[in-house]
Amino acid sequence: MTNTYAVVLAAGQGTRMKSDLYKVLHPVCGKPMVEHVIDHIRGLGTSRIVTIVGHGAEMVEETLGEKSEYALQQEQLGTAHAVQQAQGLIGDLDGTTIVVCGDTPLIRSETMEALIAHHKATGAKATILTAYADDPTGYGRIIRGENGQVLRNVEQKDATPEEQKVMEINTGTYCFDNRTLFETLKKVKNNNSQGEYYLPDVVGILQSKNALVSAYVTEDFSETLGINDRVVLAEAERVMRGRIAEKHMRNGVTIINPENTYISAAAEIGRDAVLQPGTMIEGHTVIGNKCVIGPNSQIIDSVIGDNTTVHSSVVLSSRIGSATAIGPFAHIRPDSTLGDSVKIGNFVEVKKSTLGEGSKVSHLSYIGDAKIGSHVNIGCGTITVNYDGKNKHLTTIEDDAFIGCNSNLVAPVIVGKGAYVAAGSTITKNVPESSLAIARARQENKEGYANKLNLN
Ligand code: UD1
Ligand code: CA
């Protein structure tokens, strides 16, 4: 959309959140709310996007990076004052400007597109996106004239009891003729209960000057939720979660119970994957086709191949191959790489380790800072002793090696290709290829000695 500009308001502190984190950075389904807004605007293909920053400006800019330009609002004097800060960047341009609040992450590109289309079709100087709310408390109310024409917006705190009964609310998204917007902003006053310069007053000012103003009513109130506190944050999370789940289900993912399955906005999931209840797919996670995840698994920032199962387990910042089985009750910690057809069984912790194709750690083991080849079998209760109290050391286990149960591999140490470590060994020296290492006290049997102990 050439000659269409977007201004996103994100300078407020968000006092009602009662948080150390700036409001617009609070995540909804794992993505900061303002980033949802920006991403949806990017879907429109506007020529410019300007984000108004103030509280937490640096963090907001860092979060959004190159996705936007920025204008600083030093003092938060209200939404009209906020938009005015974009004057230097876009104030002199011909075109249409859409203004969106950074705290309305559920607004969809389609709705903004429809708003812009309506605005252009009517030839209005300002069009306000409105919705009917079951409970309009806290929102600005749309005051219409006898013929249904939009007259102005009145904020909750300035509204008479009669005006407060109006169910049609200002969603905080607007379309303006760009030049008219910046000219009119100069006329906005702050003589209201909050002493703020209100952006929606632009609509009232234009109307009083007989300029054409319009409203576009969206059907779906939930899409316009403005997040001012944590109660609405949870509501937005619920709506967004439902949307994300629906997208994946339509793409061929089975979600047994979408109500208790959590998928981040950024996650990708392959066809015929099954998400069992209690599963959380977080961050930039990619899951292959036909995987079975859950019940009760948490996967964060990881890439998982096809046909892999992750049962009641945690996988963090790791890469997992195809046809691999993890869990139940395994913990794959960051920077681990598991190949194809690997098995990680119950009560196994893997940290910053690599396991080659077909290797197995089936029970009760700790594998940390280890480089393990393919087709290695690690017996129950094996520990890579990676930490000497000061430094971490590497354990290398080459292809086809077999580590007997209850072994300690004291790093740095190498177990060579095809070598065999006897159960119960504490390995402190390298084990050459194809050899057997036994590192435990030799068993001695004292015949008949038990009788002497008179235990019975
Ligand atoms: C605003 C609207 C209200 C509408 C509601 C929809 C005004 C005066 N009121 O109210 O009519 O129903 O949104 O959600 O506009 N911000 C700045 N600088 C400021 C003040 C605010 O950048 O000086 C930003 C905030 O960070 C926020 C957005 O503008 O992202 C909206 O501000 P907020 O204080 O949440 O306005 P509401 O009271 O919700
Ligand atoms: Ca708000």
Side-chain angles (χ1 to χ4, degrees):
M1 278 193 218
T2 48
N3 295 341
T4 305
Y5 319 104
V7 176
V8 178
L9 307 184
Q13 160 91 53
T15 318
R16 290 164 280 183
M17 294 295 279
K18 305 213 166 96
S19 175
D20 289 342
L21 184 65
Y22 306 107
K23 175 167 79 172
V24 295
L25 293 178
H26 273 264
V28 176
C29 291
K31 180 152 111 179
M33 57 175 100
V34 66
E35 198 174 353
H36 281 287
V37 173
I38 297 280
D39 286 349
H40 293 146
I41 291 173
R42 278 156 64 90
L44 303 173
T46 56
S47 1
R48 306 271 293 263
I49 301 176
V50 180
T51 302
I52 311 300
V53 292
H55 282 284
E58 269 177 32
M59 273 178 84
V60 174
E61 290 185 31
E62 198 184 303
T63 302
L64 299 175
E66 309 253 289
K67 289 181 178 179
S68 174
E69 302 171 63
Y70 304 94
L72 182 67
Q73 186 191 24
Q74 293 275 11
E75 253 189 301
Q76 282 62 54
L77 304 179
T79 45
H81 178 257
V83 175
Q84 235 170 356
Q85 310 311 307
Q87 167 98 47
L89 290 171
I90 57 169
D92 296 334
L93 303 176
D94 286 325
T96 305
T97 298
I98 180 166
V99 178
V100 189
C101 291
D103 64 352
T104 55
L106 295 167
I107 183 120
R108 291 180 307 136
S109 307
E110 290 84 346
T111 304
M112 290 189 267
E113 240 159 35
L115 169 69
I116 295 169
H118 179 89
H119 175 80
K120 289 185 175 166
T122 58
K125 292 292 182 192
T127 306
I128 190 161
L129 181 71
T130 73
Y132 285 89
D134 292 339
D135 176 10
T137 312
Y139 289 92
R141 308 297 207 287
I142 303 303
I143 307 303
R144 289 182 182 258
E146 280 170 6
N147 305 321
Q149 78 278 26
V150 176
L151 297 180
R152 61 196 170 89
N153 167 79
V154 59
E155 288 301 296
Q156 165 91 28
K157 289 182 180 155
D158 304 304
T160 62
E162 205 52 39
E163 288 169 334
Q164 286 188 12
K165 288 189 191 136
V166 172
M167 306 300 265
E168 187 182 7
I169 59 111
N170 167 20
T171 65
T173 298
Y174 321 76
C175 227
F176 298 99
D177 170 72
N178 189 58
R179 283 179 183 278
T180 309
L181 168 64
F182 284 97
E183 279 158 24
T184 314
L185 282 172
K186 293 176 193 147
K187 299 178 186 148
V188 173
K189 303 246 168 18
N190 66 347
N191 52 350
N192 51 54
S193 66
Q194 303 190 80
E196 284 185 11
Y197 297 91
Y198 292 161
L199 175 60
D201 281 2
V202 166
V203 174
I205 293 170
L206 287 172
Q207 209 285 331
S208 69
K209 298 214 152 55
N210 290 324
L212 181 63
V213 299
S214 175
Y216 177 73
V217 189
T218 170
E219 297 285 300
D220 182 4
F221 168 72
S222 70
E223 192 181 324
T224 66
L225 276 179
I227 301 179
N228 294 329
D229 62 30
R230 311 243 187 179
V231 176
V232 186
L233 178 65
E235 173 65 6
E237 181 86 24
R238 192 185 62 76
V239 174
M240 183 76 78
R241 180 160 71 238
R243 257 194 222 173
I244 293 171
E246 181 173 337
K247 175 187 84 179
H248 289 293
M249 291 188 283
R250 296 211 183 278
N251 283 341
V253 176
T254 294
I255 302 177
I256 304 296
N257 183 1
E259 288 290 305
N260 75 353
T261 304
Y262 303 82
I263 308 171
S264 73
E268 294 169 40
I269 308 174
R271 259 172 85 120
D272 287 319
V274 177
L275 305 186
Q276 304 271 16
T279 288
M280 304 186 79
I281 312 283
E282 301 180 45
H284 289 265
T285 290
V286 180
I287 292 178
N289 297 331
K290 298 191 169 129
C291 287
V292 179
I293 312 296
N296 304 319
S297 289
Q298 183 184 34
I299 301 180
I300 304 179
D301 291 325
S302 295
V303 178
I304 297 189
D306 298 333
N307 291 301
T308 284
T309 61
V310 182
H311 181 183
S312 301
S313 293
V314 176
V315 178
L316 310 174
S317 304
S318 290
R319 301 182 73 85
I320 315 290
S322 293
T324 281
I326 295 174
F329 318 119
H331 186 185
I332 312 297
R333 291 171 51 199
D335 297 325
S336 295
T337 304
L338 312 189
D340 297 341
S341 304
V342 164
K343 177 162 195 271
I344 302 294
N346 31 211
F347 308 109
V348 171
E349 175 177 346
V350 177
K351 185 217 100 178
K352 207 177 178 185
S353 294
T354 306
L355 278 92
E357 187 189 338
S359 287
K360 293 191 170 102
V361 192
S362 298
H363 333 265
L364 296 149
S365 292
Y366 172 66
I367 304 298
D369 302 297
K371 196 165 172 291
I372 298 177
S374 55
H375 303 288
V376 168
N377 190 82
I378 308 267
C380 176
T382 296
I383 293 170
T384 55
V385 184
N386 60 332
Y387 187 47
D388 59 13
K390 262 194 188 152
N391 297 307
K392 302 276 167 70
H393 300 283
L394 186 72
T395 300
T396 304
I397 305 175
E398 293 176 356
D399 296 349
D400 304 313
F402 184 100
I403 311 296
C405 290
N406 213 30
S407 296
N408 299 309
L409 306 170
V410 182
V413 73
I414 301 170
V415 178
K417 186 170 161 37
Y420 197 109
V421 170
S425 292
T426 292
I427 299 295
T428 54
K429 292 187 290 196
N430 291 348
V431 181
E433 192 177 317
S434 304
S435 23
L436 167 67
I438 310 178
R440 63 185 183 221
R442 211 173 251 283
Q443 182 171 336
E444 204 179 315
N445 289 339
K446 302 196 176 192
E447 299 273 340
Y449 196 87
N451 293 335
K452 286 195 202 163
L453 297 175
N454 289 328
L455 292 175
N456 300 320

